[in-house]
Amino acid sequence: MAERLEILLLDDEPIVGKRLKPALEKSGCKVEVFENPLEAMDRLEQKRFDIVVTDIRMDEMDGLQVLERVLAKWPQTKVIMITGYAMMALARESMEKGAFDFIAKPFRPDDLRRVIAKAAKALGSSIDFNTAGSKQS
Amino acid sequence: MSIIVISADDRAAEDQIGSRTAEITGYGRLEYGLLKEIAAKYDIEEEKLAEALEREPSLLRGMPPKKWYYYLACIEAEVLERLAADKMVTWSLAAHLYVLGISHALRVRILSDSEKMAKAVAEENGVSLQKARKILAKRQRQRVQWSQAAYGQDETDPALYDLVINLGQIDPDEAAATIAKAVGYRKFEPMTYSRKCLANLLLAAKVKTRLLETMSDIDVQSRDGRVIVTTKALRRDKQKKTLAIKELAGSVEGVNFVEVHFNNDIFKEAAQSLR
C-alpha cells in the first residue's frame, strides 16, 4: 500500500466528486474522481486503489457490477457503496457481494471520512486519519 | 456484530430457542426480564407492561388505548436502545414488529409442532384434542389481531421474517444452531446505513414515548435528528398542539428539527365544527 491512501471515487453526479474530493484530500488521501463507470473500470484495470467509493445507480453500469469487477481484479481493495436509493435488500446484497460498507445519501463528508478511516485501519494503514488533514495542510 | 430477533407461536419454544441461541453465539439476551427495569424507569406496574404485550386495550380491564400505546412505546424505546449495542438476541418483547428495515437484524419465526401443542393444551385443560385445536386457533387469531392493532403487522406473516423454522421437523437445538450459523452470513453484518436506520428508529421511539405520555394519535418518524410527527387535532387546536409537540419532541436528546403534520378525518372534523 502506498504511503497515502489511494481512493477512486465514482459517482455520475458531478457535485458528489466536487464535494468529497477536497474533503478526502484534506485528510491526506490521493483521490481520482470519475463520473463514468466505464472510464472508472478502465482505470481500475490499470491500477490498484486501496479504496473504491462507488454510487450504485448509474446508467452505463451499476455499482454492484463495479463492486464485483473490482473485487475480482483486486480482492484487497475495500469497496464502499453510496446510494440515494438505500433499501435493506440492496444493502444486504452489497454486503453479501463483499462491500466494505454501505452509506445512504445524503451524507456529510465526515460520515465518509469515518468509514474511510475504518477501511484504512482494516488495510493496516498506519495513517492517522483523524490528524492526517492537519498534518497535510 | 448483528442482532437476532426471534418470535414464536409458543412462548416456551421462544424462551428455549432464544436462550440456546444466546448461549451459542455469546450474544446478550433481551427478553421478558427487561420489563422489570422498564417498569421501574417509567413508574409503571410491570404487570401492565406484560399485559400490553399480550392483549389489546380494554377499558373494562383498566387498559385504555392511550395507556396501551404508551406502554408499548416505552418497551419499544428501551429495547431499541439496548439493541443499538449490537450482539443481542431478543424475544418476547415484540421486537419482530418494530425492528423493521434493519439489514443487520436477522428476524426469525419459530413454528411449533401444532399437534404437540394441541396435546399439551388438551392435557392442561382436560379437554379433547379437537377442542384444544380450537383453543389454539383462537389464540392465534387473537395474536394476529393484537399485532395488527399494536404495530399494523400480522406477526404470523412469513414475509416479515428472514428465516422460518418448523419445530415439527427440526429440534430446538438444531434450530438454535441454524440461527447462529445464519447470523454469521455477511449480509447480516452491520454497516453505516443499517446502524443509522436503527438510530433513526430509536430516536423516533424516544420521541413517541415522550409524546404519548400526555397525548394520543401520535406517529413519529425520524432521520438524522430530523423528526416528523403525524397526529390529529381539531382546526382550532392545531397551533397549540404543534407548539406542544415541538417543545416536547425538541427536548429529546438528539432531536434537532421537528415537523408536525396533521392527518385528520375531515368528515369527523366537519361534523364537529357544526356542533
Side-chain angles (χ1 to χ4, degrees):
Chain A
M1 200 177 81
E3 209 171 295
R4 293 171 75 190
L5 269 183
E6 298 199 82
I7 300 176
L8 183 144
L9 178 57
L10 167 61
D11 196 308
D12 58 1
E13 289 176 58
I15 183 74
V16 176
K18 254 181 213 164
R19 282 197 65 205
L20 294 179
K21 191 174 190 244
L24 295 174
E25 284 178 340
K26 208 174 152 193
S27 302
C29 303
K30 203 172 162 189
V31 184
E32 289 188 32
V33 176
F34 291 84
E35 288 163 26
N36 183 314
L38 301 177
E39 286 171 18
M41 289 317 302
D42 284 346
R43 183 66 177 133
L44 280 158
E45 281 297 318
Q46 303 157 10
K47 180 179 162 55
R48 185 180 90 80
F49 287 80
D50 300 308
I51 296 170
V52 170
V53 180
T54 177
D55 187 17
I56 295 187
R57 194 177 277 198
M58 294 175 291
D59 286 338
E60 292 85 353
M61 181 188 277
D62 75 33
L64 290 170
Q65 288 172 286
V66 172
L67 167 70
E68 284 175 318
R69 287 180 58 174
V70 170
L71 293 183
K73 175 90 180 162
W74 310 109
Q76 304 297 320
T77 297
K78 304 291 177 204
V79 183
I80 298 163
M81 317 297 286
I82 55 175
T83 182
Y85 301 90
M87 281 170 67
M88 191 174 78
L90 187 58
R92 283 182 172 174
E93 190 181 352
S94 300
M95 294 305 276
E96 195 176 22
K97 286 186 167 159
F100 179 76
D101 206 338
F102 184 101
I103 309 174
K105 289 182 193 172
F107 58 83
R108 285 168 301 201
D110 264 358
D111 294 334
L112 182 63
R113 275 166 46 104
R114 222 170 286 132
V115 175
I116 287 183
K118 209 170 70 174
K121 201 176 163 194
L123 286 163
S125 166
S126 56
I127 299 169
D128 181 351
F129 211 87
N130 293 321
T131 56
S134 48
K135 274 181 188 168
Q136 292 292 321
S137 55
Chain B
M1 284 294 141
S2 314
I3 294 165
I4 302 171
V5 181
I6 298 176
S7 145
D9 53 5
D10 174 47
R11 184 71 184 282
E14 206 173 60
D15 275 340
Q16 187 185 7
I17 293 173
S19 302
R20 187 75 190 112
T21 306
E23 273 172 36
I24 297 172
T25 54
Y27 285 14
R29 307 157 50 112
L30 205 53
E31 31 73 26
Y32 231 60
L34 180 67
L35 294 186
K36 195 172 187 175
E37 270 180 58
I38 301 173
K41 180 172 175 180
Y42 293 90
D43 196 18
I44 301 168
E45 287 172 48
E46 192 182 338
E47 294 71 28
K48 289 282 178 196
L49 292 172
E51 191 187 335
L53 283 171
E54 295 293 330
R55 303 171 77 170
E56 287 184 76
S58 159
L59 292 174
L60 293 174
R61 291 196 321 274
M63 177 76 83
K66 192 179 162 183
K67 281 197 168 171
W68 185 65
Y69 282 116
Y70 174 61
Y71 296 162
L72 291 176
C74 294
I75 296 168
E76 184 178 335
E78 294 303 312
V79 169
L80 288 169
E81 176 105 62
R82 285 156 182 81
L83 289 181
D86 287 346
K87 292 182 81 174
M88 300 297 283
V89 187
T90 182
W91 67 94
S92 73
L93 296 168
H96 57 292
L97 296 165
Y98 50 81
V99 179
L100 302 171
I102 307 298
S103 63
H104 68 275
L106 170 69
R107 299 151 55 80
V108 184
R109 178 72 174 173
I110 305 294
L111 305 178
S112 300
D113 182 334
S114 54
E115 273 311 291
K116 221 172 171 178
M117 267 172 81
K119 274 180 198 160
V121 169
E123 272 174 30
E124 202 179 299
N125 297 289
V127 295
S128 67
L129 258 181
Q130 199 182 359
K131 175 80 180 161
R133 285 190 197 106
K134 278 186 183 168
I135 293 172
L136 284 173
K138 188 181 173 193
R139 273 188 206 164
Q140 190 173 16
R141 277 198 306 277
Q142 284 172 339
R143 283 303 300 173
V144 170
Q145 280 170 5
W146 176 88
S147 64
Q148 281 175 331
Y151 299 100
Q153 310 270 357
D154 171 0
E155 70 173 12
T156 63
D157 179 1
L160 265 185
Y161 304 95
D162 299 302
L163 182 64
V164 179
I165 299 177
N166 180 357
L167 294 183
Q169 304 299 323
I170 294 175
D171 75 45
D173 272 358
E174 271 181 85
T178 304
I179 296 167
K181 189 178 175 196
V183 82
Y185 295 164
R186 213 167 175 278
K187 64 164 74 175
F188 297 116
E189 270 184 30
M191 62 193 87
T192 300
Y193 165 66
S194 64
R195 286 188 200 282
K196 268 204 173 175
C197 289
L198 186 57
N200 289 339
L201 284 184
L202 172 59
L203 187 61
K206 282 181 174 174
V207 170
K208 191 164 74 174
T209 306
R210 180 72 55 91
L211 296 175
L212 285 175
E213 203 175 347
T214 52
M215 298 175 180
S216 55
D217 291 319
I218 295 290
D219 181 55
V220 184
Q221 289 184 313
S222 95
R223 184 168 175 165
D224 300 335
R226 186 186 173 96
V227 169
I228 298 173
V229 179
T230 307
T231 187
K232 289 177 181 172
L234 289 175
R235 187 171 299 176
R236 63 173 179 268
D237 296 333
K238 279 183 180 173
Q239 199 179 359
K240 201 174 147 195
K241 194 163 184 182
T242 301
L243 287 173
I245 287 173
K246 286 195 171 186
E247 194 183 336
L248 281 171
S251 69
V252 174
E253 199 186 334
V255 173
N256 51 42
F257 184 81
V258 183
E259 206 175 299
V260 182
H261 292 185
F262 289 92
N263 181 17
N264 281 1
D265 178 342
I266 52 166
F267 297 108
K268 193 175 165 190
E269 197 171 46
Q272 281 170 335
S273 68
L274 292 172
R275 279 180 199 159

